Structures are given as structure tokens and as C-alpha cells.
Amino acid sequence: RGSMKDLFADGNEEEEEEEAEQENGNSAMNKYTKRKKHKRKKKEAAPSILSLPKTLEMIAKLYKAKIVADTYRARPGSEIEEKHQIVRFDKFVIKYFMLFFGTRGVARRNLRSFAASVEYHRQRNAHPRIHLFQVISGMGSTTYDARLMPHHMAPLLRHFFPNSATMDAELGNGSEPCLGE
């Protein structure tokens, strides 16, 4: 597992190689959520689908982690503040899974499962939070607007949840209304 500092860092060489591909509006999420053709004839199992509450809990954790990371990054006197570049949300989701699950293989498997769950629940119009997350993260989209999270979604999250430490608990798993829905 990586440290919290890794979660807030800008990235590595692999991400720089992806920059050219993403310049034309593609999300970094698409690289990790699509299956690749392997030379081996081993069949990959289809990703498991998470339940709606589990998917909504993961979305809440991702929102919370992103707000905390951006707050830490913008903190005066922090090492990262000198660069003051906010990590795009699609890249952040990938970094979060890498740090949360430890190894690249396990992170990729869980990210695929999460992406499949988001798509599954969105197709069934299970919850509006699913569709909003899919648009903000660029998941399953051919175009990605990196300004959605820092300019629109993050200010709303900070306004409605001033205490970011309890944001994921307040958003919950969708079983109860939040903010008087």
C-alpha cells in the first residue's frame, strides 16, 4: 500500500505517456476498465457486479478522498502546494484504487468490477448518483471534461459537506435520503 502523500502526488512516467492520449478528451479510466486481448488463451472471468449500496459507498469514498486530497494540496506551506496542480478526477480514481488495493493486478481487477457495477446500475437507472459519477469520471465515455470535478462538483460537495471527514458517512449507500432528497 502507498502512503497518503502518493495519493496527492502528481504522477509518474506512465501517466505522462497517457497524457497525449488523453489530450483529445479521452478519460484515463477507459484504459483500466476495458479488457485487453492477451496472448494467453486463458479466459478472463467477467468482472463481478457490486451491489448498489456497495457501489454508492465506493463513490462516496472516492468523493471524500478527492476533496481531502485537493484540500491538502492547496494547503499553504505544503510541499505539493508549490506545484499546485490538481490531479484530474479520472486519474485520481485510478491512483486511489492502486493505493487502496496495493498491487496493480488487484487494483485493476477491483477497478474493472467497480466500473462494471457503475455501468450495470446506470443502465437500470438505479440511482442518480451513479449517472453523475459516470459523467464526472469519464467512465465509459468517448469525451472527458476534466473541469467538471474542480469547477462544479467539488465546490458543491464542499458546500453541502463542510466536514469532509464525515462526507462518505453522510452520503451513505443510497438506502436513506441525504440532504433531504
Side-chain angles (χ1 to χ4, degrees), residues 113-177:
S113 177
F114 176 67
S117 302
V118 167
E119 181 62 28
Y120 174 84
H121 295 302
R122 189 200 60 78
Q123 287 176 352
R124 284 153 185 75
N125 292 324
H127 202 281
R129 217 179 295 167
I130 299 282
H131 180 70
L132 181 63
F133 177 81
Q134 193 173 33
V135 170
I136 289 174
S137 67
M139 196 178 283
S141 176
T142 56
T143 60
Y144 175 66
D145 187 358
R147 297 172 297 178
L148 289 175
M149 185 61 168
H151 296 293
H152 302 289
M153 187 64 176
L156 285 172
L157 289 171
R158 281 190 208 101
H159 174 75
F160 288 117
F161 305 103
N163 182 5
S164 60
T166 60
M167 181 186 302
D168 55 340
E170 290 179 37
L171 280 171
N173 61 13
S175 61
E176 296 179 11

Side-chain angles (χ1 to χ4, degrees), residues 10 14 30 32 41 55-56 62 76 86 110 112 121 126 138-139 144 165 179:
D10 281 333
E14 183 179 310
N30 290 336
Y32 290 92
K41 294 197 176 191
T55 305
L56 291 172
L62 286 165
I86 303 296
N110 283 290
R112 282 187 185 139
H121 295 302
M139 196 178 283
Y144 175 66
L179 299 176

Side-chain angles (χ1 to χ4, degrees), residues 69-81:
D70 288 351
T71 303
Y72 177 80
R73 178 176 293 281
R75 185 181 67 184
S78 71
E79 299 169 13
I80 302 171
E81 194 254 339

